[in-house]
Amino acid sequence: MAQNPKYSIIIPVYNRPDEIRELLESLVLQEFKDFEVLVIEDGSTIDCENEVIHFQEKLNIRYFKKPNSGQGFSRNFGMEKAGGDYFVIFDSDCIIPPNYFTEVNEVLKERKLDAWGGPDAAHASFTDIQKAISYSMTSLFTTGGIRGRKKHAGIYHPRSFNMGISREVFKKVGGFAITRMGEDIEYSIRIIKAGFKVALVDKAIVFHKRRTNFAQFYKQLHFFGRARINIGRFYKEEIKLVHLFPAVFTVGLAISLLTVFLLPSIGVFLLGVYAFYFLLIAIDATFQYKSLKIGLLSLWAALVQLSAYGVGFLTELTRGFKRPLSDRNK
């Protein structure tokens, strides 16, 4: 293994020893080998030290334990310890295809990027629910493709489940300013505002497992909705029309259901519009996965996603824009 690797992979972990094994197994299979792995145990009560020990002869890997500070500050800790020219951040619930670093390395040879991100996709081993959730998080019908599609709405901001930055970026911009509540988007905005070149590497795909049931997914997306308002506390211009869609969707659906009882003809028409929208989602997901079951689950996943995000967005909006939040418990 190289003493000074080209890439340093930073993986914060909190009580997820089962997930980290799959991620590390996928890193063993990488075609491009010039990287180190830093696993940052963020105050876990169930640590993954034994999992890391298992890979010490297969990977250039280092393991650190620290008090809990949240994922953003744990990534900062890892970047401070890293020896690579580039720092690559993965979530612990990702599986990395063997060609990931081959693809990234080819792009960096062709053009000078200071930071990048890549898409997420569903692995063949994912459950049908996980595939439906993956669809809802990447579909043009639900997110506008902003989570890593080649064609997406607005300026591309790398997300921390699949994010790379140069050492120079870390030196000049620093690390994450907050530890949660939109910390990756805030960081991406700061990098772009500093004049660094940021882009999507569309072939740098990761398989992001996300949540395994819809209750967990609702909780996660509710938090994402709150996080968008928190980003607005730093940069008010980053609350854009596309971010209002889930809130408008949620309020509109509630009004439509209420109108059915008060003004039936109007209510039925409005619900018909929603039904057509969900039909498009079900058809698109069915063709994408060649499965009617996943198509129907994707319909439900989209409903959970948009309503959870919308409720979280509106809930956090009532708190105003005065004080940025970072604490996971707030």
Side-chain angles (χ1 to χ4, degrees), residues 69-319:
S69 64
Q71 55 201 21
F73 295 161
S74 292
R75 295 176 191 127
N76 290 350
F77 179 94
M79 290 189 283
E80 289 168 358
K81 303 291 185 182
D85 298 323
Y86 295 91
F87 305 152
V88 183
I89 299 166
F90 294 135
D91 280 355
S92 62
D93 59 350
C94 287
I95 299 172
I96 314 303
N99 65 334
Y100 179 91
F101 284 99
T102 300
E103 298 292 349
V104 168
N105 213 50
E106 286 302 311
V107 169
L108 291 180
K109 284 180 182 177
E110 294 173 4
R111 52 186 174 138
K112 175 68 171 79
L113 291 182
D114 303 296
W116 73 88
D120 65 300
H123 192 269
S125 66
F126 286 8
T127 67
D128 288 343
I129 289 177
Q130 285 176 311
K131 289 175 181 177
I133 288 173
S134 179
Y135 171 85
S136 73
M137 290 297 291
T138 56
S139 172
L140 288 170
F141 287 111
T142 53
T143 65
I146 61 175
R147 298 187 68 85
R149 294 281 183 139
K150 191 168 185 178
K151 293 181 180 179
H152 56 83
I155 297 172
Y156 176 68
H157 297 115
R159 302 305 209 272
S160 56
F161 65 84
N162 181 6
M163 176 188 238
I165 68 167
S166 68
R167 178 177 289 277
E168 187 67 15
V169 167
F170 184 63
K171 283 182 179 179
K172 291 191 176 180
V173 179
F176 291 84
I178 53 176
T179 197
R180 282 177 68 83
M181 288 286 284
E183 80 289 345
D184 50 355
I185 301 176
E186 189 283 328
Y187 193 28
S188 294
I189 292 169
R190 198 154 23 100
I191 292 169
I192 293 167
K193 285 182 176 291
F196 287 105
K197 187 174 182 180
V198 181
L200 167 72
V201 178
D202 59 292
K203 292 184 180 180
I205 296 169
V206 303
F207 301 117
H208 197 187
K209 294 179 74 173
R210 303 189 184 280
R211 300 308 184 218
T212 57
N213 61 60
F214 289 122
Q216 292 174 338
F217 186 48
Y218 182 94
K219 184 178 180 181
Q220 182 184 47
L221 267 293
H222 184 275
F223 191 82
F224 285 177
R226 294 181 59 209
R228 176 51 61 175
I229 294 298
N230 199 42
I231 294 164
R233 293 181 177 122
F234 291 91
Y235 310 103
K236 285 187 172 59
E237 70 276 11
E238 291 300 326
I239 305 293
K240 301 184 184 300
L241 191 61
V242 67
H243 303 127
L244 301 177
F245 173 66
V248 173
F249 168 92
T250 304
V251 173
L253 182 57
I255 291 173
S256 299
L257 291 170
L258 181 61
T259 306
V260 167
F261 299 99
L262 300 177
L263 298 168
S265 59
I266 296 176
V268 169
F269 171 78
L270 293 175
L271 288 179
V273 173
Y274 277 90
F276 178 72
Y277 170 70
F278 283 118
L279 179 63
L280 291 177
I281 288 173
I283 292 172
D284 185 53
T286 296
F287 276 97
Q288 182 170 319
Y289 285 101
K290 298 179 174 59
S291 167
L292 178 60
K293 180 182 178 182
I294 295 175
L296 295 175
L297 286 171
S298 296
L299 185 159
W300 184 251
L303 176 61
V304 171
Q305 176 197 352
L306 293 170
S307 61
Y309 190 105
V311 171
F313 184 95
L314 293 170
T315 300
E316 196 64 30
L317 183 62
T318 63
R319 300 182 180 183

